[in-house]
Amino acid sequence: MVPRLASVLFLLMMLGLAWTQSLDLDFNCDTFVATNAVVDPAVSNSQIGGAVTIHDGTLTGNIRNFEFAIDGRFTINSTTATLSGQLRPSGATSLAHGYYFVLNMNLAPDASGRNMLNAGVSVDQSSWMFFSIAAPSYLIGYGDFNSAGPISINQLVTSLPFQIGLGANGKNLHLGASVAIDITAGPYHVTGDVNIDLACDLAVHESSSSSSYELPSSSDDDSGVFCPADIFECPDGSSVGRDPNSN
């Protein structure tokens, strides 16, 4: 009886693993947790250091690598998708300084991807999905990175959209995503990269009602920081989207 029980448990475990993977690989999952993609030296020599990397530190006081302070969120809703999160400098422990980050995207079914892993490491791009960055997509700085309003984000190369799939983040063979971005703030014009791991958020994906975020009207927390209404919590922990003129 014991060997038979062990066999049944093993079979159930394998079925559970296959079901979980199918949620990711088939994109039946509509809500994902987004985290920094960690370099696997066996398949990638990437030197990119964060979930979001800004190549020129002009806008950021020479800080180039940013991570999600709290896990980011990636949602798919039929032909649109949104990646959002609160970014802080990589290795920082405080939430006092950073950026609100939102990418809104539209499905790009005819696009093709690029394998950014080491030469000789192959990936099946036929299972990847692609989304083109759309407006409004932006950074909003707070604390030391305080910005008067949204900093626009666009897709750097039209033919290279946001790509999602196994190995798509260019750092490892996990389910992940990446895209090269163009950031414009007044006279400043810099480029960057997004490289993330994705995992289906099984707790919420069935009830998710993901949709493209509209650029919120500004509201301020007690420190005067621009805080997007209804998307993020203000850096000081105050209520989301509070009317700055209210008492």
Side-chain angles (χ1 to χ4, degrees), residues 84-97:
S84 60
Q86 189 172 343
L87 297 173
R88 65 183 176 191
S90 294
T93 58
S94 171
L95 293 175
H97 313 285

Side-chain angles (χ1 to χ4, degrees), residues 23-243:
L23 285 174
D24 287 344
L25 299 180
D26 297 338
F27 296 99
N28 292 328
C29 186
D30 57 13
T31 304
F32 296 82
V33 174
T35 56
N36 306 334
V38 179
V39 173
D40 178 355
V43 299
S44 174
N45 293 324
S46 173
Q47 300 299 310
I48 296 175
V52 176
T53 300
I54 299 175
H55 298 157
D56 185 326
T58 302
L59 296 176
T60 57
N62 288 324
I63 297 174
R64 292 173 168 80
N65 297 319
F66 292 84
E67 63 187 13
F68 289 116
I70 303 170
D71 290 342
R73 182 178 65 174
F74 177 68
T75 56
I76 298 177
N77 182 18
S78 184
T79 59
T80 63
T82 298
L83 174 65
S84 60
Q86 189 172 343
L87 297 173
R88 65 183 176 191
S90 294
T93 58
S94 171
L95 293 175
H97 313 285
Y99 288 95
Y100 300 112
F101 171 76
V102 174
L103 288 186
N104 282 308
M105 294 169 277
N106 295 322
L107 184 67
D110 299 323
S112 58
R114 57 172 178 160
N115 182 0
M116 299 180 292
L117 299 172
N118 293 347
V121 179
S122 61
V123 290
D124 179 13
Q125 296 185 31
S126 66
S127 63
W128 289 7
M129 290 185 72
F130 303 95
F131 289 86
S132 296
I133 296 176
S137 293
Y138 54 89
L139 291 165
I140 296 176
Y142 62 87
D144 287 347
F145 303 108
N146 190 22
S147 58
I151 298 170
S152 176
I153 300 177
N154 295 291
Q155 194 168 297
L156 180 62
V157 182
T158 303
S159 61
L160 295 175
F162 188 89
Q163 60 184 32
I164 312 158
L166 295 177
N169 59 28
K171 289 189 175 185
N172 54 54
L173 295 175
H174 302 164
L175 179 66
S178 63
V179 68
I181 55 177
D182 180 76
I183 302 168
T184 303
Y188 300 109
H189 185 78
V190 299
T191 61
D193 289 285
V194 177
N195 300 86
I196 55 175
D197 281 341
L198 295 171
C200 182
D201 191 335
L202 296 174
V204 300
H205 84 92
E206 291 183 350
S207 61
S208 172
S209 57
S210 57
S211 61
S212 181
Y213 285 125
E214 295 295 330
L215 185 65
S217 58
S218 65
S219 56
D220 297 298
D221 64 12
D222 289 334
S223 63
V225 175
F226 185 99
C227 181
D230 302 324
I231 297 180
F232 300 99
E233 183 176 345
C234 293
D236 68 345
S238 60
S239 58
V240 176
R242 185 177 41 156
D243 184 348

